[in-house]
Amino acid sequence: MQSLTKKLLVVTLSVLPLVGVAQITHDHQEKAPVPKAIAVLSPTKGSSVHGGVTFEVVENGVRVVANIAGLTPGKHGFHIHEFGDCSSDSGTAAGGHFNPSGMQHGAPNSDNRHAGDIGNIEADKAGNAHLDYVDPVLSLSGENSIIGRGVIVHAKEDDLTTQPTGAAGARLACGCIGVAKR
Ligand code: CU
Ligand code: ZN
């Protein structure tokens, strides 16, 4: 019994330095700044909405550039959701709006908004939507980083007031935000 305890102690001590090295490597990776991220949006079941969005760090925040196709004309809720999980048919595996600071749902230019509240995209008669603006809240680093989170396009307009979703309805497309090649 005593020798077993000794063996366990030896094993534990010999593993400790390895854990230390792994920890340092991990920290280093997290601190390396990501300048640009990308999400490719695929249709949920029964939808034909698809497209892409890039997020690039600029002087006053993160520049969001989106091109989405297959929509009905008009405004569609467009958010970053908590999880980068598009595995479910309806897009619900992406969870609720990304909200690391416990705020209310709101407009992108509001002080009280979920970090993931990037508002609406507006499709033309052909069903194509283009968006290009600088968001002051989004981040590609630190606790509020959107890397690994989900992007959702909705069936209806985000009214920017209804809690906690903006009443934007069904999820038509989903994508996961990853590190982009510059
Ligand atoms: Cu949403
Ligand atoms: Zn929200």
Side-chain angles (χ1 to χ4, degrees):
M1 213 46 178
Q2 202 179 11
S3 76
L4 179 63
T5 309
K6 264 184 194 167
K7 269 184 193 164
L8 281 175
L9 187 65
V10 168
V11 168
T12 307
L13 287 175
S14 61
V15 162
L16 273 176
L18 292 176
V19 172
V21 169
Q23 192 61 47
I24 288 162
T25 310
H26 183 65
D27 287 349
H28 177 73
Q29 280 174 349
E30 285 201 336
K31 279 169 190 159
V34 172
K36 191 176 179 183
I38 184 167
V40 176
L41 308 188
S42 300
T44 54
K45 196 173 186 183
S47 161
S48 57
V49 176
H50 61 279
V53 49
T54 59
F55 303 91
E56 189 167 13
V57 176
V58 293
E59 199 178 336
N60 298 316
V62 169
R63 183 181 175 194
V64 181
V65 179
N67 286 291
I68 314 289
L71 291 159
T72 54
K75 289 183 177 178
H76 295 267
F78 189 50
H79 314 123
I80 294 158
H81 285 238
E82 186 174 4
F83 308 116
D85 182 350
C86 299
S87 63
S88 59
D89 286 345
S90 55
T92 51
H97 297 181
F98 180 47
N99 184 24
S101 41
M103 302 284 222
Q104 299 268 92
H105 179 70
N109 60 0
S110 166
D111 287 334
N112 194 7
R113 57 167 261 193
H114 301 141
D117 291 345
I118 55 178
N120 286 286
I121 49 167
E122 187 163 9
D124 61 18
K125 282 179 188 166
N128 298 316
H130 175 71
L131 178 71
D132 187 343
Y133 84 106
V134 174
D135 191 288
V137 173
L138 296 184
S139 175
L140 300 190
S141 61
E143 283 180 27
N144 296 344
S145 172
I146 60 170
I147 305 287
R149 307 295 174 178
V151 177
I152 295 282
V153 180
H154 289 271
K156 296 198 282 184
E157 178 177 355
D158 181 340
D159 65 14
L160 309 177
T161 48
T162 302
Q163 301 300 325
T165 63
R171 303 174 181 201
L172 300 185
C174 181
C176 178
I177 302 169
V179 177
K181 185 178 181 182
R182 281 237 281 186

Tab-separated table of all heavy atoms in Angstrom, residues 79-80 97-99 104-106 113-118 158 162-166, ligand 2:
chain	number	residue	atom	x	y	z
A	79	HIS	N	-27.979	38.386	-35.752
A	79	HIS	CA	-27.346	38.422	-34.419
A	79	HIS	C	-26.169	37.473	-34.318
A	79	HIS	O	-26.086	36.491	-35.051
A	79	HIS	CB	-28.343	37.984	-33.320
A	79	HIS	CG	-29.685	38.598	-33.399
A	79	HIS	ND1	-30.839	37.856	-33.481
A	79	HIS	CD2	-30.060	39.901	-33.413
A	79	HIS	CE1	-31.882	38.675	-33.539
A	79	HIS	NE2	-31.439	39.915	-33.510
A	80	ILE	N	-25.361	37.741	-33.301
A	80	ILE	CA	-24.376	36.751	-32.872
A	80	ILE	C	-24.968	36.031	-31.673
A	80	ILE	O	-25.386	36.667	-30.701
A	80	ILE	CB	-23.044	37.425	-32.543
A	80	ILE	CG1	-22.455	38.007	-33.831
A	80	ILE	CG2	-22.068	36.434	-31.914
A	80	ILE	CD1	-21.466	39.089	-33.619
A	97	HIS	N	-28.953	35.054	-27.722
A	97	HIS	CA	-28.022	36.099	-28.157
A	97	HIS	C	-26.776	36.110	-27.266
A	97	HIS	O	-26.889	35.964	-26.049
A	97	HIS	CB	-28.686	37.482	-28.092
A	97	HIS	CG	-29.865	37.614	-29.024
A	97	HIS	ND1	-30.597	38.756	-29.141
A	97	HIS	CD2	-30.409	36.719	-29.890
A	97	HIS	CE1	-31.561	38.574	-30.050
A	97	HIS	NE2	-31.458	37.333	-30.502
A	98	PHE	N	-25.613	36.296	-27.873
A	98	PHE	CA	-24.361	36.369	-27.119
A	98	PHE	C	-24.419	37.595	-26.205
A	98	PHE	O	-24.545	38.727	-26.671
A	98	PHE	CB	-23.184	36.461	-28.088
A	98	PHE	CG	-21.838	36.547	-27.423
A	98	PHE	CD1	-21.493	35.683	-26.390
A	98	PHE	CD2	-20.897	37.479	-27.847
A	98	PHE	CE1	-20.240	35.757	-25.783
A	98	PHE	CE2	-19.642	37.555	-27.255
A	98	PHE	CZ	-19.316	36.696	-26.226
A	99	ASN	N	-24.345	37.346	-24.902
A	99	ASN	CA	-24.623	38.405	-23.925
A	99	ASN	C	-23.709	38.263	-22.711
A	99	ASN	O	-24.150	38.010	-21.603
A	99	ASN	CB	-26.101	38.315	-23.511
A	99	ASN	CG	-26.516	39.421	-22.572
A	99	ASN	OD1	-25.901	40.494	-22.535
A	99	ASN	ND2	-27.565	39.179	-21.795
A	104	GLN	N	-29.714	44.004	-21.613
A	104	GLN	CA	-31.009	43.799	-22.265
A	104	GLN	C	-30.804	43.731	-23.776
A	104	GLN	O	-29.813	44.232	-24.292
A	104	GLN	CB	-31.921	44.996	-21.970
A	104	GLN	CG	-32.221	45.202	-20.508
A	104	GLN	CD	-33.483	44.477	-20.094
A	104	GLN	OE1	-33.404	43.344	-19.649
A	104	GLN	NE2	-34.626	45.095	-20.244
A	105	HIS	N	-31.805	43.154	-24.465
A	105	HIS	CA	-31.762	43.175	-25.926
A	105	HIS	C	-31.976	44.617	-26.411
A	105	HIS	O	-32.777	45.353	-25.847
A	105	HIS	CB	-32.847	42.268	-26.506
A	105	HIS	CG	-32.862	42.259	-28.002
A	105	HIS	ND1	-31.873	41.674	-28.756
A	105	HIS	CD2	-33.722	42.808	-28.901
A	105	HIS	CE1	-32.139	41.836	-30.044
A	105	HIS	NE2	-33.256	42.523	-30.155
A	106	GLY	N	-31.250	44.998	-27.463
A	106	GLY	CA	-31.404	46.364	-27.960
A	106	GLY	C	-30.819	46.560	-29.346
A	106	GLY	O	-30.413	45.605	-30.005
A	113	ARG	N	-27.420	46.820	-24.785
A	113	ARG	CA	-27.662	45.811	-25.832
A	113	ARG	C	-26.864	44.577	-25.495
A	113	ARG	O	-25.853	44.647	-24.787
A	113	ARG	CB	-27.230	46.345	-27.205
A	113	ARG	CG	-25.761	46.774	-27.235
A	113	ARG	CD	-25.216	47.015	-28.640
A	113	ARG	NE	-24.466	45.853	-29.127
A	113	ARG	CZ	-23.682	45.865	-30.200
A	113	ARG	NH1	-23.574	46.955	-30.922
A	113	ARG	NH2	-23.033	44.772	-30.569
A	114	HIS	N	-27.309	43.454	-26.012
A	114	HIS	CA	-26.460	42.263	-25.980
A	114	HIS	C	-25.255	42.552	-26.880
A	114	HIS	O	-25.399	43.226	-27.905
A	114	HIS	CB	-27.211	41.052	-26.545
A	114	HIS	CG	-28.473	40.708	-25.813
A	114	HIS	ND1	-29.615	40.298	-26.459
A	114	HIS	CD2	-28.744	40.694	-24.481
A	114	HIS	CE1	-30.556	40.040	-25.550
A	114	HIS	NE2	-30.063	40.286	-24.347
A	115	ALA	N	-24.103	42.015	-26.532
A	115	ALA	CA	-22.947	42.163	-27.424
A	115	ALA	C	-23.292	41.656	-28.821
A	115	ALA	O	-22.858	42.201	-29.831
A	115	ALA	CB	-21.751	41.402	-26.874
A	116	GLY	N	-24.139	40.614	-28.870
A	116	GLY	CA	-24.481	40.002	-30.155
A	116	GLY	C	-25.551	40.712	-30.959
A	116	GLY	O	-25.913	40.254	-32.047
A	117	ASP	N	-26.049	41.835	-30.456
A	117	ASP	CA	-27.128	42.552	-31.156
A	117	ASP	C	-26.574	43.418	-32.279
A	117	ASP	O	-26.282	44.606	-32.077
A	117	ASP	CB	-27.925	43.416	-30.168
A	117	ASP	CG	-28.745	42.581	-29.211
A	117	ASP	OD1	-28.920	41.375	-29.471
A	117	ASP	OD2	-29.200	43.143	-28.193
A	118	ILE	N	-26.465	42.829	-33.456
A	118	ILE	CA	-25.977	43.616	-34.586
A	118	ILE	C	-27.122	44.035	-35.507
A	118	ILE	O	-26.902	44.453	-36.640
A	118	ILE	CB	-24.821	42.903	-35.329
A	118	ILE	CG1	-25.207	41.493	-35.787
A	118	ILE	CG2	-23.593	42.798	-34.405
A	118	ILE	CD1	-24.091	40.787	-36.569
A	158	ASP	N	-35.948	42.254	-36.594
A	158	ASP	CA	-35.691	42.488	-35.170
A	158	ASP	C	-36.272	43.863	-34.841
A	158	ASP	O	-35.835	44.872	-35.402
A	158	ASP	CB	-34.171	42.445	-34.929
A	158	ASP	CG	-33.792	42.655	-33.463
A	158	ASP	OD1	-34.619	43.204	-32.698
A	158	ASP	OD2	-32.663	42.291	-33.097
A	162	THR	N	-38.313	44.131	-28.190
A	162	THR	CA	-38.886	42.959	-27.523
A	162	THR	C	-37.793	42.113	-26.862
A	162	THR	O	-36.772	41.808	-27.487
A	162	THR	CB	-39.666	42.088	-28.541
A	162	THR	OG1	-40.680	42.872	-29.144
A	162	THR	CG2	-40.301	40.887	-27.845
A	163	GLN	N	-38.009	41.772	-25.567
A	163	GLN	CA	-37.022	40.984	-24.816
A	163	GLN	C	-37.347	39.494	-24.889
A	163	GLN	O	-38.517	39.136	-24.817
A	163	GLN	CB	-36.991	41.442	-23.363
A	163	GLN	CG	-36.650	42.896	-23.180
A	163	GLN	CD	-35.278	43.240	-23.737
A	163	GLN	OE1	-34.337	42.439	-23.672
A	163	GLN	NE2	-35.147	44.421	-24.312
A	164	PRO	N	-36.312	38.638	-24.963
A	164	PRO	CA	-34.884	38.981	-25.141
A	164	PRO	C	-34.401	38.752	-26.575
A	164	PRO	O	-33.226	38.646	-26.802
A	164	PRO	CB	-34.200	37.962	-24.212
A	164	PRO	CG	-35.060	36.729	-24.377
A	164	PRO	CD	-36.482	37.209	-24.670
A	165	THR	N	-35.339	38.691	-27.533
A	165	THR	CA	-34.979	38.238	-28.887
A	165	THR	C	-35.217	39.262	-29.987
A	165	THR	O	-34.779	39.049	-31.116
A	165	THR	CB	-35.811	36.988	-29.250
A	165	THR	OG1	-37.188	37.364	-29.263
A	165	THR	CG2	-35.585	35.862	-28.268
A	166	GLY	N	-35.981	40.336	-29.699
A	166	GLY	CA	-36.358	41.253	-30.759
A	166	GLY	C	-37.471	40.718	-31.631
A	166	GLY	O	-37.786	41.297	-32.662
B	2	ZN	ZN	-30.224	40.466	-28.353
